[in-house]
Every structure is written in structure tokens, then in C-alpha cells.
Amino acid sequence: MTSFIAQGGPSVVTQMVGSGLIGIREGLEAGIVVMVLIAFAVKSERRDALKWIWLGVAAALTMMIATFLIIQFGSSTISSLSAELLAGIASLVAVGIVTFMVLWMRKASAHMSGDLKSGLSDALVAGGAAVFGLAFLAVGREGLETALLMVGYAESVSGGLWPLIGLLLGMLVAVALTWLLYQGAIKINFAKFFTYTGYFLIVVAAGILAYGTRALQVYGWLPGLHNTAFDISSWYDQGSWYGVILQGIFNFRPDPTVLQVVAWVLYVLIVGGLFYLRGRTTAPKPEPTPAVPVLDDAV
């Protein structure tokens, strides 16, 4: 244990904790989607469709892991300067997609269950391929968001495979929570859960945005690399427990540039404000569950 800490163990653990929290949030979000699909198929007495749902889920998870690995390690042979450019672009793309999904989920969560049930009702009539496609797209949307978010996060903490391992462990926790929810063993206030974790993702995305901004400054696409906003490195120990946590999860550094600080503050204020305002809007009335026709043929 001592040698592990001496070799940077706390940093590794912190990276895994940060990505693990992301995995729990995103995994539970995807788990709820799967839970709705399975519950509707079982209630409709179409257990034959379950295999297609699980195949779609497996394909979506494979796509998520493959996307992360290809982007994260596909650039290992390029120069360090080109790697900065790739890291900067990947970070900005990740922030853009995560922003869209967080704000979309804030609004769409009220009628997501009804939309999924309606889609599965149509897919059950169309056949197994349609059920597979629905499950793949429903979970794959979350998986692609998670993969791109993790690319930006992993780039910012330079953790290699550790962020991915933390993500997968977090998703395993989410699977366990989803199963307990399905069995009725636990109850979660989803409104509060997704609100708090939504704000957490916004702060994480702001850190990734700041990292991407600096990477593009290093490459030369953005100005102000040597225009430091503040420098507290004389007393701020980045290798301490608090420095490791703040850098590993929120990408905080003691000497950010002015452009980094401006980008971080504007992102938190604008996206956080939009997230808050969307939560104050009146949720639409629940949609009626569509009837599933009784069919003699198998999916």
C-alpha cells in the first residue's frame, strides 16, 4: 500500500473516483432506460423480446468502450503538439455534447418513459431487429455521451486506462442500483438525483472546457498562453490530497490563464443558469401508456 501511494496512488484513486461518479450518473440514466424497456416488455407478456433488448444494450456498451479507446489511444504515435490539438478539439466536442444532453435530459425526463414505451410498442410489432435498434439507440445515446465526456476527462487528468476503469466500476454500481430499483428494494428521488448530478457534470464539463482551452492555447489556435489570471502555486500544493482531488475531478490548476478562467466562469454561469431555469418549468402531464397488440408470431 505504501509503494502504491508513493507511485502516485492517490492520483490514480482520485481519477477513478471522478470517473466513477460519472459512471454512476450516466449508468443509472441508461439503466433506467433499460429498466423501462424490460418492464414494459414483461408487462406486455413479450419476454421473447428481452434477448433483443439485451443485445442492443451490449452493442451500445461495446460502442461506448470502443469509442473511448479509439479516440484516447489512437493518437499515441502523433507528436506532442498535435496531441495538444487533438486533446483540445476532443475536449470541446465532449463539452458540447454533454451540455446538450444535460439540458435535453432536464427537459425530456418528464416524458421519457412514455416515449420509450411508445417506441417499444411499435418495435414489438416490427420485429426483433426493431427492438434491437431501439435499445441500441436509447442506450447508445447515453453511451456516446459518456465516451466523449470520458475522453475529455481522461485527457485532462492524463490517467491512461484508470479513468476508464473507474467509469466501468461506477457503471457496475449503477447496474446494482438499477436492479435494486427494479426489484423495489430501494427508492431514489430521481428529481433530486439528476438535479444534483447534473450540476456536478456541469462543473466537470467546465473543467474539461478549461483544459481544452489551454490545450488550444499551447497549440497556438487561441491567444493568451502566457497571460496568467493568477498564480497560487507558492502555497497551493498540487501534490497534496486536496490538490489531487481538485485536479483529478475538476481539472483545477494553480496558474490558469485568463482565457481559461473566463471560459470556466461563463460556462458555469450560462449552462448552470439554463439548467436551473429548465428545472423550474412545469412538467407536462404523463402520457397514457400505449396498448401493445397481441401477436401470435415471435419477435
Side-chain angles (χ1 to χ4, degrees), residues 22-232:
I22 295 172
I24 293 174
R25 149 78 195 213
E26 299 297 309
L28 190 56
E29 198 169 299
I32 293 171
V33 170
V34 176
M35 185 172 64
V36 170
L37 294 177
I38 290 177
F40 188 70
V42 171
K43 189 175 182 180
S44 304
E45 298 182 354
R46 293 298 305 272
R47 291 181 176 272
D48 53 313
L50 294 181
K51 64 180 180 181
W52 296 107
I53 293 175
W54 285 118
L55 285 173
V57 171
L61 291 176
T62 301
M63 180 192 69
M64 180 195 73
I65 297 174
T67 301
F68 175 86
L69 292 176
I70 290 172
I71 299 177
Q72 178 70 2
F73 297 103
S75 58
S76 58
T77 58
I78 65 177
S79 66
S80 58
L81 191 60
S82 298
E84 290 286 352
L85 175 61
L86 182 60
I89 293 175
S91 297
L92 297 184
V93 171
V95 169
I97 291 180
V98 170
T99 302
F100 171 79
M101 291 300 296
V102 166
L103 294 178
W104 174 85
M105 186 65 183
R106 182 72 156 170
K107 195 77 173 178
S109 58
H111 53 80
M112 183 177 67
S113 178
D115 292 342
L116 286 171
K117 291 174 182 177
S118 177
L120 183 57
S121 176
D122 295 336
L124 288 173
V125 176
V131 175
F132 170 87
L134 176 67
F136 174 77
L137 292 176
V139 178
R141 179 177 57 199
E142 305 293 338
L144 185 60
E145 173 200 358
T146 305
L148 291 175
L149 174 61
M150 285 306 303
V151 167
Y153 178 81
E155 286 286 355
S156 67
V157 300
S158 302
L161 277 174
W162 290 113
L164 178 60
I165 294 173
L167 173 72
L168 295 177
L169 290 176
M171 295 187 75
L172 287 177
V173 173
V175 169
L177 290 175
T178 303
W179 183 81
L180 291 173
L181 284 169
Y182 185 78
Q183 299 295 324
I186 61 172
K187 294 183 182 296
I188 293 178
N189 187 322
F190 290 109
K192 290 185 177 180
F193 175 82
F194 285 117
T195 295
Y196 295 148
T197 55
Y199 283 120
F200 168 75
L201 280 185
I202 289 172
V203 176
V204 170
I208 295 174
L209 175 62
Y211 168 81
T213 299
R214 189 180 187 92
L216 294 181
Q217 286 180 305
V218 172
Y219 188 77
W221 275 17
L222 291 177
L225 176 61
H226 303 292
N227 190 6
T228 304
F230 57 84
D231 189 349
I232 59 174

